[in-house]
Amino acid sequence: MLKPEIIFASSRRNALTRIICVGLVLLCIFAGIFSLFSVSSIAKSGTEITDKTTKDTESFSGVLPDSHSSKDTFDTILNIYKWKMELEGAKNLQDLIDGAFCDDPLNGTNQNYILSIIQNPAITADFSKYTKALSDALYDGISTEEGIFPTSLQKSLVTLQLCLDYNLYKSLGEDYVNQNRLAVEAVNHENLLNYVNQEVTDTALYHTIGEKGIMSYIYGLYMLDNCPLSEPSVSEPEIIDAILSLQCEDGGYTLSGSEGDTDVTAMTLQALAPAYLLKYEKYIELPGDLYERLRQSVDKSLNFLSLIQESTGDYGSFGTTCSESTSQVILALYALDIPPISDERFIKDENNCLDGLLIYKCNDKGFSHSRGSVSNDMASSQSLQALTAILNSYEYESSETINAENISVSKAPAFPTKIVIPFGVILICLTAGLILFIKKKKIIHLISALALGALIIGIFFALDIKTKESFENEKSSIIFSESTNDTIEINFLISADTINAGDIFPASNLYVAKDSTVFDVLKEVCRIENIQLDYEKNSVYGLAYVKGIDSIYEYENGDLSGWMYRVNGEMPNIGLGYYTLSAGDKVEILYSTNIGRDLND
Amino acid sequence: MIDRLHPLSILIYFLSASLIPAFSRNPVLHTLCLITGFLMLFTWADAGKILKRVPVFLLFFLIISLFNPFFYHNGNTVLFYVAGRRFSLEALLFGADSALIVIGVSVWFISLSHYMTGDKVLLLFGVLSTKLATIVSLIMRIIPHYASYINAYRKQQKLMGIYGEGTFLERLRAEAKIFAGFLTWSLEHSMTTADSMTSRGYGVAKRKSYRIYRIRQIDILIMITSVIFILLLGLSLIRGTFETNYYPVIVMQPQGREAILSESVYIIYSLFLTVKHLIKVNYGFFENKQSKI
């Protein structure tokens, strides 16, 4: 017989352990619910921001040819701003203007961004800080020994004037339209003189126009058209005369040589447009024969541009097609009051300029310089101006305007999978283990449950799971947009021509990091371009074997089919994970149906 | 009724009902196979017993489904990336479809193993060789018999206090003693068996096996239906009616008249024997005549 005390003691101990266990289980459940709520609240706050911007853009209407609606265009524009914001690490568009653009206000690319915001009727922003920074930069720059580059000075003055104009418009509101035009101009003139000193205006008027070839004439004309400055060293008719005399035989304009170049021609047209359309009073007084020459010249240039358009809708400069040329042509057409996307002269094979420009849109929402390349700052800024021009040509109704502060990077709330999932697994296993422990009173159940949890977490971390967004938007450490000291230029191609599947990745020049292997580049290209890739890799030996690209797999087209690679026309005898690239290599990743015999013919 | 069928018709029916959908690549047919397989379970097992098996099947389903996308990275709809490779919806669905096949066939085979008892298997193999059938049936009887004898011997030794306590060496010695006793007993037992077989005339003339199952009208009916079903579905399989392409996007063959016809034939065929048990239908003419006393 057991003594009563012992029975009592043991039952009390059991009760105690039971209470502790139940308490722990309840604690776990509460902690789990709490963590779930906190995660969902993060997700909610993230979606609110995105909702705000999308709601605003819904107010645009207007269906346009080729299914490019104004809303699509506006979304593309917003996405470029977001791309730039991510690049500079800015919170919202206003932050970008006050931060990154103010740091380098004389930069032409930054000025392109500023101009596109000013010209966009649906976005309002505050440029007071930028105006101050720009005038300071002009003041500082002009007093240095080298001074400011003539075209840069001219463009900066135009940007400054437009910003001031915009500030005035914002402060006056509706009165701006109603007031006397001359009075406004007088205010503007005073404003400009308040912001820049005599030295700057003198330099701009007497030492820039015609100093540096055709571009200084073009920007000079811009400056005289937009800024209320008078009595320049070279007057407007003289500038127009000088520009017209520089025209090539084929109707285009160029910096050097005898054949017209797309960019220069388009920019010249933009400069000549106000005179051509007799936009300002001063152009009505132009000599009759000069105006006649101007008309003929502009028509000839337009013919030239119409002739050299590619069948895909885009334009080339110096032999290769690029987005900047296309953007400039769109701007020129808009300036000349020609509808950029519906004029028949500029539609080739049912592709208009906008189709041509959208070829260069990258996965990260920016625009690239050449086809299949990565996003580029200058290309994005000029595409932005072109898209804004197209938006203006749509004549859509915008009932609401978005403040620049509301355009923010709609970062999808980074779901903290790395923390939440292990935490959840541990919680579930602990709860299950505790329940078993209470039921069967064996500590081994608790330990084994925790061990199972640890195993699952170990597998989770070993597998390196990433969400789609975080994987695709990762910054590349292999492929770069610009050439630096640590990069080499190679030509890269993925093709399955042998089974008539065409080029999966067309031949392009890429800047890749030094010492990168063929496999590194292939992986990065597939990641950036969102091409399917299946491979086996031994992390110890660096051995890699490609099984399938773009859902075309080995053995699919016969027993001898599979992926092979060629460098400079020869098939190396080592795996692509070992082949280190050198500058100028021509790499081809090819699908063969007969272990490479069909590739060499 | 099924347990009284001829083993040949049971074998043909179960194999064709479960394996032919498995050779097709049509998720509809796989789902039907699983459902009718579960219904077949109800003809002989309790609902409770069947429900106990469900979590195990679910676990199997999960493991097989998840297995495929972790090792095969084809497919256009990306859910997330695992170690730089895709985890796609298409691969997951392909895994789920293969899991359906595996579970469907195993559910059917659970019923098959219930209905194909040892004697029925022996009857089928007895056709090939009567001697082999005899030996197999002897072995099938002897193994459990010997096991129970050894256990009884050990228990008896334990009760007498000879075995069970002491060091490892002592226990080993006791075990050897048990084995020696068992060996003598089995030799004696086999001699008795041999004697009794000789006395009953074993080896006097050519041996025939006795069959309690005969091919009846219901068996003929089942076999004819099976052949028709196999031909119909086999034809559809060859013509590619049930093809489904999973990569890079899921393209199922349009469910035309032929596919719907084949699927309805499958439903009728796979419920052919189940329905009788579930709602007590009488096939009348094909039933064996039972005395009504």
Side-chain angles (χ1 to χ4, degrees):
Chain A
M1 284 294 280
L2 287 164
K3 286 177 186 169
E5 296 98 300
I6 295 169
I7 294 170
F8 179 69
S10 69
S11 72
R12 201 171 59 173
R13 194 155 69 241
N14 274 348
L16 203 68
T17 44
R18 197 167 285 198
I19 287 164
I20 290 168
C21 290
V22 168
L24 272 172
V25 170
L26 286 177
L27 200 73
C28 287
I29 292 166
F30 276 126
I33 291 167
F34 178 75
S35 68
L36 267 179
F37 268 105
S38 60
V39 167
S40 64
S41 67
I42 293 168
K44 231 183 234 168
S45 65
T47 46
E48 263 169 25
I49 300 164
T50 46
D51 279 350
K52 211 183 222 171
T53 43
T54 47
K55 210 181 275 172
D56 287 341
T57 51
E58 270 167 20
S59 54
F60 299 104
S61 58
V63 180
L64 287 133
D66 282 333
S67 76
H68 297 310
S69 69
S70 55
K71 191 181 172 317
D72 287 346
T73 312
F74 192 70
D75 283 347
T76 318
I77 289 171
L78 284 184
N79 281 332
I80 300 175
Y81 288 132
K82 284 171 189 170
W83 172 80
K84 179 70 178 166
M85 280 180 247
E86 260 176 34
L87 196 72
E88 302 288 349
K91 284 199 296 280
N92 53 40
L93 190 56
Q94 189 61 53
D95 191 30
L96 188 68
I97 296 166
D98 293 344
F101 293 160
C102 283
D103 291 345
D104 190 5
L106 287 177
N107 186 327
T109 311
N110 286 351
Q111 286 171 3
N112 283 345
Y113 281 107
I114 294 289
L115 289 174
S116 77
I117 299 168
I118 292 173
Q119 280 152 5
N120 199 321
I123 298 174
T124 58
D126 179 22
F127 290 110
S128 47
K129 196 176 171 198
Y130 179 76
T131 327
K132 188 86 185 51
L134 183 56
S135 67
D136 285 351
L138 281 174
Y139 186 78
D140 292 345
I142 211 80
S143 52
T144 55
E145 218 166 278
E146 305 121 34
I148 304 172
F149 198 74
T151 52
S152 177
L153 175 61
Q154 290 162 341
K155 195 178 177 185
S156 303
L157 272 178
V158 173
T159 315
L160 182 61
Q161 178 58 38
L162 287 173
C163 284
L164 289 172
D165 224 16
Y166 186 83
N167 289 347
L168 190 69
Y169 166 70
K170 257 186 82 179
S171 62
L172 287 179
E174 295 218 335
D175 291 345
Y176 182 83
V177 190
N178 300 335
Q179 272 197 357
N180 188 354
R181 190 70 213 161
L182 281 171
V184 172
E185 267 178 22
V187 174
N188 269 343
H189 186 59
E190 219 167 89
N191 260 341
L192 187 66
L193 291 182
N194 283 342
Y195 272 94
V196 292
N197 57 359
Q198 190 71 31
E199 202 183 347
V200 174
T201 49
D202 283 355
T203 319
L205 282 174
Y206 307 125
H207 299 293
T208 58
I209 301 167
E211 294 281 317
K212 293 280 173 191
I214 188 166
M215 292 314 272
S216 59
Y217 280 120
I218 293 169
Y219 280 113
L221 202 54
Y222 273 143
M223 183 179 73
L224 295 179
D225 283 348
N226 288 299
C227 306
L229 300 169
S230 53
E231 293 172 17
S233 60
V234 190
S235 68
E236 284 97 334
E238 283 166 357
I239 295 174
I240 293 172
D241 189 46
I243 291 175
L244 293 184
S245 64
L246 286 169
Q247 194 173 24
C248 300
E249 286 282 307
D250 53 7
Y253 294 86
T254 182
L255 291 175
S256 59
S258 59
E259 282 179 21
D261 175 60
T262 322
D263 284 69
V264 183
T265 313
M267 288 173 85
T268 314
L269 284 181
Q270 286 171 50
L272 293 176
Y276 177 79
L277 297 171
L278 302 174
K279 220 172 169 183
Y280 302 115
E281 276 178 24
K282 58 187 175 187
Y283 288 124
I284 300 171
E285 296 153 12
L286 274 182
D289 60 326
L290 182 62
Y291 184 67
E292 195 53 41
R293 264 177 69 206
L294 173 68
R295 282 194 74 91
Q296 282 170 4
S297 155
V298 167
D299 290 341
K300 206 172 156 191
S301 298
L302 279 174
N303 272 336
F304 167 74
L305 285 181
S306 171
L307 269 175
I308 61 165
Q309 192 178 21
E310 306 277 331
S311 63
T312 42
D314 53 345
Y315 280 87
S317 175
F318 298 110
T320 51
T321 55
C322 62
S323 70
E324 286 97 329
S325 304
T326 319
S327 303
Q328 289 303 331
V329 171
I330 291 173
L331 284 170
L333 295 180
Y334 174 66
L336 286 165
D337 265 356
I338 298 169
I341 57 167
S342 53
D343 194 273
E344 278 184 12
R345 284 174 290 176
F346 297 95
I347 297 178
K348 298 283 151 67
D349 286 356
E350 300 186 350
N351 287 319
N352 58 34
C353 298
L354 183 55
D355 289 317
L357 184 59
L358 291 177
I359 295 173
Y360 300 91
K361 196 172 151 186
C362 296
N363 276 342
D364 60 357
K365 311 289 165 47
F367 277 70
S368 64
H369 168 74
S370 57
R371 287 186 191 193
S373 179
V374 284
S375 297
N376 172 292
D377 203 18
M378 185 183 266
S380 298
S381 72
Q382 295 195 16
S383 306
L384 196 55
Q385 281 189 301
L387 289 167
T388 311
I390 285 172
L391 194 69
N392 283 330
S393 74
Y394 279 168
E395 294 177 6
Y396 62 96
E397 292 166 5
S398 63
S399 54
E400 277 180 63
T401 53
I402 309 174
N403 199 315
E405 279 170 10
N406 289 340
I407 302 174
S408 52
V409 186
S410 58
K411 261 191 192 143
F415 187 66
T417 38
K418 285 261 139 82
I419 307 153
V420 169
I421 290 181
F423 190 56
V425 168
I426 280 284
L427 268 184
I428 292 165
C429 289
L430 195 63
T431 321
L434 281 175
I435 289 167
L436 277 173
F437 178 57
I438 292 164
K439 264 190 161 179
K440 308 218 164 158
K441 298 204 180 64
K442 276 185 185 167
I443 196 78
I444 187 76
H445 290 292
L446 189 64
I447 292 168
S448 55
L450 284 176
L452 187 71
L455 188 73
I456 293 170
I457 291 163
I459 291 170
F460 174 77
F461 276 112
L463 286 177
D464 183 24
I465 290 170
K466 276 177 193 153
T467 58
K468 201 180 165 194
E469 282 76 23
S470 70
F471 181 79
E472 279 162 11
N473 298 333
E474 221 171 69
K475 200 154 189 184
S476 176
S477 61
I478 303 285
I479 299 178
F480 298 93
S481 57
E482 275 152 14
S483 164
T484 59
N485 283 340
D486 298 327
T487 60
I488 50 173
E489 191 176 2
I490 59 151
N491 191 289
F492 196 80
L493 161 84
I494 307 174
S495 168
D497 250 347
T498 43
I499 54 162
N500 298 324
D503 287 358
I504 292 159
F505 181 77
S508 321
N509 288 335
L510 304 173
Y511 299 112
V512 301
K514 269 180 193 168
D515 298 333
S516 51
T517 61
V518 178
F519 183 66
D520 292 335
V521 178
L522 174 67
K523 225 166 76 175
E524 279 302 291
V525 163
C526 287
R527 187 178 69 81
I528 292 167
E529 289 292 311
N530 201 5
I531 298 168
Q532 188 264 342
L533 174 69
D534 194 354
Y535 59 89
E536 271 169 24
K537 190 164 196 288
N538 188 321
S539 53
V540 180
Y541 302 112
L543 184 82
Y545 178 71
V546 174
K547 290 200 284 187
I549 300 174
D550 199 25
S551 296
I552 300 168
Y553 268 70
E554 53 175 349
Y555 309 130
E556 263 182 14
N557 296 281
D559 289 343
L560 297 177
S561 59
W563 286 95
M564 308 193 79
Y565 80 110
R566 234 171 23 191
V567 180
N568 300 328
E570 276 177 34
M571 284 179 184
N573 274 331
I574 51 172
L576 77 171
Y578 290 121
Y579 195 96
T580 311
L581 289 163
S582 44
D585 273 349
K586 186 168 175 274
V587 184
E588 297 159 288
I589 312 274
L590 302 163
Y591 189 77
S592 164
T593 54
N594 194 7
I595 52 168
R597 285 187 200 117
D598 52 343
L599 298 176
N600 292 331
D601 295 340
Chain B
M1 183 203 77
I2 305 173
D3 43 5
R4 296 188 63 194
L5 286 175
H6 192 271
L8 188 64
S9 57
I10 293 183
L11 195 70
I12 292 176
Y13 176 79
F14 275 82
L15 288 188
S16 58
S18 59
L19 287 182
I20 287 198
F23 281 119
S24 76
R25 284 206 286 175
N26 183 11
V28 178
L29 214 57
H30 300 156
T31 322
L32 288 176
C33 174
L34 181 64
I35 293 167
T36 50
F38 261 103
L39 287 176
M40 181 53 102
L41 281 182
F42 280 97
T43 60
W44 58 273
D46 313 344
K49 270 187 186 171
I50 295 163
L51 285 178
K52 259 186 191 171
R53 286 177 189 271
V54 169
V56 180
F57 285 133
L58 276 180
L59 192 70
F60 258 110
F61 184 81
L62 214 67
I63 290 170
I64 299 171
S65 305
L66 286 176
F67 195 77
N68 188 48
F70 274 115
F71 291 93
Y72 199 61
H73 309 283
N74 208 340
N76 275 1
T77 322
V78 186
L79 298 178
F80 50 85
Y81 284 83
V82 177
R85 276 161 274 195
R86 290 180 175 197
F87 185 103
S88 70
L89 182 69
E90 282 85 2
L92 187 67
L93 288 177
F94 186 85
D97 192 25
S98 358
L100 270 184
I101 301 174
V102 171
I103 295 170
V105 171
S106 54
V107 165
W108 271 97
F109 271 57
I110 290 167
S111 298
L112 178 65
S113 69
H114 171 81
Y115 287 121
M116 283 295 273
T117 44
D119 58 327
K120 285 182 192 170
V121 177
L122 278 183
L123 193 145
L124 280 180
F125 282 102
V127 178
L128 302 176
S129 159
T130 44
K131 275 188 181 168
L132 191 76
T134 322
I135 289 166
V136 168
S137 69
L138 279 173
I139 290 168
M140 298 285 267
R141 151 127 181 82
I142 281 169
I143 289 169
H145 187 55
Y146 281 8
S148 69
Y149 181 81
I150 285 187
N151 276 333
Y153 201 167
R154 197 178 285 138
K155 269 181 193 164
Q156 179 242 5
Q157 296 275 314
K158 250 186 195 172
L159 272 173
M160 287 166 73
I162 301 168
Y163 170 83
E165 310 283 316
T167 59
F168 176 72
L169 210 67
E170 280 171 6
R171 267 187 291 155
L172 202 70
R173 202 169 289 150
E175 205 62 48
K177 198 176 169 189
I178 293 169
F179 187 70
F182 158 72
L183 205 67
T184 359
W185 172 81
S186 68
L187 282 173
E188 192 187 326
H189 181 77
S190 60
M191 281 173 78
T192 325
T193 314
D195 280 349
S196 68
M197 279 171 81
T198 335
S199 68
R200 283 166 197 170
Y202 184 81
V204 174
K206 198 171 185 316
R207 211 180 146 76
K208 278 194 276 184
S209 47
Y210 170 71
R211 290 166 193 172
I212 56 165
Y213 300 102
R214 295 188 184 282
I215 293 180
R216 290 175 291 147
Q217 280 164 325
I218 180 86
D219 293 317
I220 292 167
L221 175 75
I222 289 169
M223 281 180 207
I224 290 171
T225 343
S226 299
V227 168
I228 292 170
F229 168 77
I230 291 167
L231 283 178
L232 251 170
L233 229 58
L235 202 71
S236 296
L237 281 183
I238 292 162
R239 283 165 59 87
T241 318
F242 299 125
E243 284 296 299
T244 308
N245 267 329
Y246 280 88
Y247 306 112
V249 281
I250 296 175
V251 181
M252 216 167 129
Q253 279 291 327
Q255 292 286 296
R257 205 183 297 156
E258 197 180 322
I260 291 168
L261 179 79
S262 309
E263 279 157 16
S264 29
V265 164
Y266 180 76
I267 296 173
I268 294 165
Y269 176 72
S270 54
L271 292 175
F272 181 58
L273 292 181
T274 317
V275 163
K276 189 196 173 301
H277 278 260
L278 294 183
I279 52 173
K280 311 275 186 247
V281 184
N282 206 332
Y283 286 128
F285 175 71
F286 293 105
E287 289 290 313
N288 53 331
K289 310 268 184 303
Q290 273 183 334
S291 90
K292 282 175 184 171
I293 302 165

